[in-house]
Amino acid sequence: MTNQADRPIVDMAAFHAACEAATADATHPVWAYEPFWRDNRKIRADHYAHMSRNDPALLAYTQSPEKGLRGIFTPIKPGRYLTKFFSGVLSEREIAFYAAWQSTGSRGSEWTDAARYPMTFASDSADIVSVYARGPQSCMTGMECVSVYGAGDLAIAYLTKGKDAGGQVLARALVWPDKKVIGRVYPSGTHWHAEGFVNETASQACGQALLARLIAAGYSADTSSRGFNGARLTREDEGDGCCAMPYLDHSYRVTDTGDHFEMNQRGDLLADTTDGRLRVEEEWEEEDIRWRCDRCGDAMDEDDTQRVYTRWNAHDGAYGSQDWCGHCVANNTFTCDGLGEVFSSRQDSIYIDDCTYHRGWAENDGAYECDQTANWCFREDHPPVTMANGDTWSPEAFHIDGFTCAITGGNYHRRDAHLGLHTVCSDVSAEDIAAHLAMAPAFETILDTNQLELPV
């Protein structure tokens, strides 16, 4: 038996070059953009893990630099690979989730099972309140004001585990059954841990499963933000000139008809507070008020005020300042980490490396959205890659899913590679390929990489 000390020293530069050439046209694991994979590159740097060419349910990786240099890739089950190398990073539940995603190709397969996770509709006010009390997390979770949805037009579609007997609600959405319209779907992924999901991806997949069920039943998403126009809400007097009213997504307003409210984008009253109350009457004398919140109109102490900006542009910077109360600031603003100023949540915000930015300010400072991943990046930190079709990709996305055509010099998605030449785009003519091969014989070494993997 050869001792470790007797093993020949491998030229690591040659090893990486060989593995990169062998996996240039390979498909990365389905979790390539997940945080655990991106944040732990050191664990997998020498593995060159990819989907097995002979069995998509398996992975293939290099067990050692010696094998990698010889082009030997060993097949392995996804769960076994993650357990072997990432058990210190992922829990058993997370490993099981990612393994199933890789093996089945569907990250939401668990919640698509209608027998295990039935879809139910709640249209009665009491039932609607019960659904919101049982999840998922949102600013209206546990709020009694959602009872106003029980006026007769709307309902809440939701998923539970097994027969609904008052247990946890896994996903929900406001719907209008007669018009087959779907509102915002929860969970959003933000509170995945509190909701009992293994990770953010699983949480989002559960919501997508509910959306898919509704679409299959003939519903469509409210992409125009006008689908709920005319929907009735009950008018429940709360006293003090207020009525019960939940926060309405997509900037819906309401019109007070006297005996009920109607949702409408051009309504008289803006339903965007999260305290469950909508002020419909003023009950104080103006001279008794020294400070009034510019957003909700409530009286407030001077010490409770916060300067909030409602606009930003490159010429004026932050402008349109207003004085808001602490409640409105806590529930309807964000702080731009680039400026240190507080903005209304009606302004677009983006997230880059765990920081929040006003979108206009960030774009002016060089931020861009990767067309492949929808993630935002700063050009200075992540120089963008311009694709042949005009899309803009981050360098990380290009490393995972892109390649540069050896003939045209353009940048392409891996799926656009020539069937037999993984560094040539499929648009290149046979004549151009032949001419290139005649000028660069060494190019022939990339014609076939399947021989580099052991049979599965």
Side-chain angles (χ1 to χ4, degrees):
M1 180 179 295
T2 303
N3 294 326
Q4 184 74 18
D6 296 330
R7 295 173 63 180
I9 298 176
V10 175
D11 182 340
M12 293 305 292
F15 158 71
H16 287 297
C19 289
E20 287 175 4
T23 60
D25 64 340
T27 302
H28 290 267
V30 294
W31 56 69
Y33 291 110
E34 292 294 290
F36 87 89
W37 190 253
R38 290 188 286 106
D39 296 342
N40 293 280
R41 180 173 173 76
K42 289 184 178 180
I43 295 178
R44 59 177 178 84
D46 294 341
H47 295 170
Y48 290 89
H50 58 279
M51 186 183 298
S52 168
R53 292 185 175 88
N54 297 324
D55 186 345
L58 299 179
L59 298 179
Y61 77 108
T62 60
Q63 289 184 312
S64 67
E66 293 87 354
K67 289 186 176 181
L69 193 60
R70 293 161 53 198
I72 298 175
F73 289 79
T74 303
I76 188 171
K77 292 182 178 180
R80 184 179 178 185
Y81 174 82
L82 292 175
T83 300
K84 184 174 183 177
F85 297 107
F86 287 88
S87 58
V89 176
L90 301 173
S91 67
E92 290 185 5
R93 286 185 65 200
E94 289 175 310
I95 288 175
F97 171 80
Y98 286 120
W101 183 6
Q102 180 66 53
S103 298
T104 65
S106 172
R107 66 178 183 176
S109 57
E110 179 181 359
W111 297 283
T112 58
D113 187 337
R116 293 179 60 195
Y117 301 97
M119 181 172 68
T120 309
F121 293 85
S123 56
D124 176 81
S125 291
D127 291 338
I128 291 173
V129 171
S130 174
V131 169
Y132 273 81
R134 294 184 279 140
Q137 293 290 315
S138 75
C139 62
M140 290 293 103
T141 298
M143 300 288 283
E144 293 286 335
C145 61
V146 297
S147 61
V148 304
Y149 289 136
D153 290 334
L154 305 177
I156 305 299
Y158 64 101
L159 298 183
T160 56
K161 185 175 183 179
K163 185 178 180 180
D164 181 20
Q168 180 187 3
V169 172
L170 300 172
R172 61 172 164 79
L174 179 69
V175 298
W176 193 344
D178 285 349
K179 293 195 173 183
K180 299 293 185 182
V181 178
I182 313 167
R184 183 176 178 182
V185 178
Y186 294 87
S188 63
T190 306
H191 305 284
W192 62 268
H193 189 270
E195 293 163 348
F197 293 99
V198 296
N199 50 36
E200 181 179 355
T201 300
S203 172
Q204 294 170 338
C206 184
Q208 289 300 308
L210 173 60
L211 178 62
R213 298 254 204 106
L214 287 168
I215 291 175
Y219 284 76
S220 59
D222 181 23
T223 55
S224 67
S225 296
R226 295 192 297 270
F228 288 96
N229 281 352
R232 293 173 298 162
L233 306 176
T234 60
R235 194 181 194 282
E236 301 174 8
D237 192 350
E238 295 277 299
D240 298 327
C242 295
C243 288
M245 183 62 63
Y247 176 91
L248 299 181
D249 288 314
H250 304 307
S251 302
Y252 272 101
R253 305 171 71 94
V254 295
T255 298
D256 188 353
T257 68
D259 61 347
H260 67 272
F261 291 105
E262 284 188 3
M263 293 176 63
N264 196 303
Q265 287 289 349
R266 297 185 178 182
D268 302 325
L269 302 167
L270 183 61
D272 65 346
T273 60
T274 57
D275 61 357
R277 291 158 60 88
L278 174 68
R279 181 164 295 284
V280 294
E281 300 175 7
E282 300 293 347
E283 292 195 347
W284 50 67
E285 295 297 328
E286 199 66 38
E287 59 267 20
D288 294 333
I289 302 172
R290 296 188 60 191
W291 293 89
R292 181 193 294 273
C293 176
D294 288 326
R295 181 179 180 278
C296 68
D298 285 353
M300 60 183 181
D301 295 330
E302 181 178 358
D303 294 339
D304 191 36
T305 64
Q306 168 72 53
R307 178 64 53 84
V308 176
Y309 292 95
T310 60
R311 297 286 188 275
W312 184 93
N313 64 40
H315 180 267
D316 302 308
Y319 68 100
S321 64
Q322 297 180 350
D323 293 321
W324 287 17
C325 67
H327 178 81
C328 286
V329 169
N331 293 282
N332 300 281
T333 66
F334 66 91
T335 299
C336 174
D337 289 316
L339 286 169
E341 301 290 1
V342 178
F343 286 89
S344 164
S345 57
R346 286 186 173 274
Q347 292 288 288
D348 290 338
S349 61
I350 61 175
Y351 302 93
I352 303 178
D353 296 332
D354 297 324
C355 291
T356 305
Y357 300 95
H358 185 285
R359 176 172 175 171
W361 178 89
E363 288 182 313
N364 188 64
D365 202 52
Y368 67 94
E369 184 178 20
C370 173
D371 290 314
Q372 170 67 0
T373 65
N375 293 329
W376 283 84
C377 310
F378 282 114
R379 293 175 182 273
E380 183 177 350
D381 301 324
H382 306 272
V385 178
T386 300
M387 307 300 287
N389 64 357
D391 284 353
T392 300
W393 284 24
S394 69
E396 292 78 11
F398 186 74
H399 176 74
I400 293 173
D401 285 329
F403 77 98
T404 299
C405 178
I407 296 179
T408 68
N411 298 318
Y412 298 86
H413 193 292
R414 288 181 185 275
R415 64 168 174 259
D416 297 324
H418 191 282
L419 184 61
L421 301 169
H422 63 249
T423 60
V424 176
C425 69
S426 57
D427 293 337
V428 176
S429 67
E431 292 78 8
D432 288 340
I433 292 176
H436 185 86
L437 290 175
M439 295 175 61
F443 187 66
E444 297 179 9
T445 59
I446 67 167
L447 290 180
D448 184 9
T449 58
N450 287 329
Q451 61 182 324
L452 299 178
E453 180 181 344
L454 291 179
V456 175

